[in-house]
Amino acid sequence: MNSAPGSQTIEATLIAGDGIGPEIMDATVDILAALGAPFRWDRQLGGLAAIEATNDPLPKDTLDSIRRTRLALKGPLTTPIGGGFRSVNVRLREEFHLYANVRPARTILPGQRYEDIDIVLIRENIEGLYVAFEHYIPVGDDPHAVAISSGVNTRGGAERIIRYAFEYALKNGRKKVTVVHKANVLKALTGLFLEAGRAVAKDYEGRIAMDDRIVDACAMQLVLNPWQYDVIVTTNLFGDILSDLLAGLVGGLGLAPGANIGESAAIFEAVHGSAPDIAGKGVANPVSILLASGLMLEHVGRLDLAQKLRGAIDATINKANVRTGDMGGSAGTREFAQAIIGQLSA
Ligand code: NAI
């Protein structure tokens, strides 16, 4: 273990995932070792590999490992369509009450549609319309004539995520939190969220500014003038959509990391999928999972290593001009990883 001087070894669960997961995770483990990251990995199965071994995409051993380490780095998992398996990502959120989904969008690759983007979206991860209280009402011979879905937001859940966003802003030197809602139409479901936002904001007056936006106006402004946003906090469904919009501003899902934070565990992940079209070809871009491991370093208090890692990724892409195919280059995953390791000692 190549630990930084004075740092403690921290056990963390590692789920390589499906498709390109093992390729990008191998690259990440090598880079983190060269960086001197303090993690000792407990490798566990998830997704298709776990179904083959145990007939469960989220086996008990994997859950037990996360219960013990309370910390995990997770590659993309293929969700089989049909077959009765629930999404592993949703199961993990529920199991560990991962109420905060943190999705930073920072420009790392210049020449995209927008330059100098630096926005963090914090999404409520458990409540809202994603509780999926859904049913059909049959009419005549159509069993699906009417579809009904109920969302659930609680004051406790809303205040918790909004407080998380303000604390995040304080810790990370941010200036403003924007509460995004649809309180003009969904007056109860998202009106409660706005009400909680206004209440929590009072505790941060003079330190962090607060404003609010209706989700449709926010989507338009993110396209017209994204620089007006700093930290955004919003409900589950709006957060799901806007966080991918934000990833699009900085070059797509291949460059965007995600963190799922709860009281009993924190799980860091690439936000793209398992990319079956390029799996096994050695061409996948590991930046998303690498940036996720940077968020994990921040989470365990190693901001120094997180910054060094981001600096090396930036230098590899923008100074050494080593890029994978999706970034317009020709490097394979291994070559790209070696270039980052080279930058770490440059
Ligand atoms: P995808 O993100 O896997 O792929 C979309 C496109 O982006 C493909 O052309 C792919 O080659 C490319 N791409 C994605 N990541 C890349 C990377 N790191 N480097 C280079 N190119 C990359 O989305 P898709 O095809 O819709 O989903 C495939 C599978 O992944 C599905 O089973 C889906 O359920 C799962 N998935 C899992 C997620 C997770 O575990 N967090 C998130 C999204 C999808």
Side-chain angles (χ1 to χ4, degrees), residues 14 21 46 55 69 85 87 96 110 141 145 149 160 164 166 171 177 179 185-186 191 212 241 276 283 288 294 297:
L14 185 145
N55 202 30
T69 63
F85 292 110
S87 156
F96 295 104
D141 57 2
S149 182
R160 178 171 61 176
Y164 183 91
F166 275 92
K171 251 191 251 157
V177 172
V179 177
V185 175
L186 299 172
D212 72 273
I241 298 166
V283 298
S288 175
L297 285 164

Side-chain angles (χ1 to χ4, degrees), residues 33-148:
L35 177 70
F39 303 121
R40 184 159 51 82
W41 302 111
D42 179 25
R43 289 177 181 267
Q44 295 291 339
L45 295 175
L48 288 184
I51 294 175
E52 276 159 28
T54 69
N55 202 30
D56 182 352
L58 186 58
K60 183 174 175 301
D61 285 355
T62 304
L63 287 170
D64 286 346
S65 172
I66 301 172
R67 269 186 209 113
R68 195 179 67 252
T69 63
R70 301 160 66 100
L71 193 63
L73 185 63
K74 182 180 79 59
L77 303 178
T78 300
T79 304
I81 297 170
F85 292 110
R86 287 182 60 224
S87 156
V88 171
N89 297 319
V90 174
R91 276 177 68 192
L92 283 171
R93 269 174 224 160
E94 288 172 0
E95 177 73 31
F96 295 104
H97 305 289
L98 304 172
Y99 66 87
N101 183 235
V102 182
R103 291 276 299 264
R106 288 196 194 97
T107 298
I108 190 163
L109 183 65
Q112 304 298 307
R113 235 172 261 258
Y114 301 88
E115 301 290 351
D116 300 323
I117 299 292
D118 185 6
I119 306 171
V120 179
L121 185 136
I122 295 176
R123 158 186 170 195
E124 203 293 323
N125 222 8
I126 306 178
E127 303 194 331
L129 278 164
Y130 284 19
V131 297
F133 288 160
E134 296 192 299
H135 64 279
Y136 294 106
I137 298 176
V139 176
D141 57 2
D142 182 356
H144 290 176
V146 181
I148 295 187

Side-chain angles (χ1 to χ4, degrees), residues 20 24 74-79 89 253-254 269-278 283-286 326:
I20 59 171
I24 57 174
K74 182 180 79 59
L77 303 178
T78 300
T79 304
N89 297 319
L253 294 180
E269 64 184 357
V271 299
H272 56 73
S274 53
D277 51 335
I278 56 166
V283 298
N285 181 356
D326 59 308

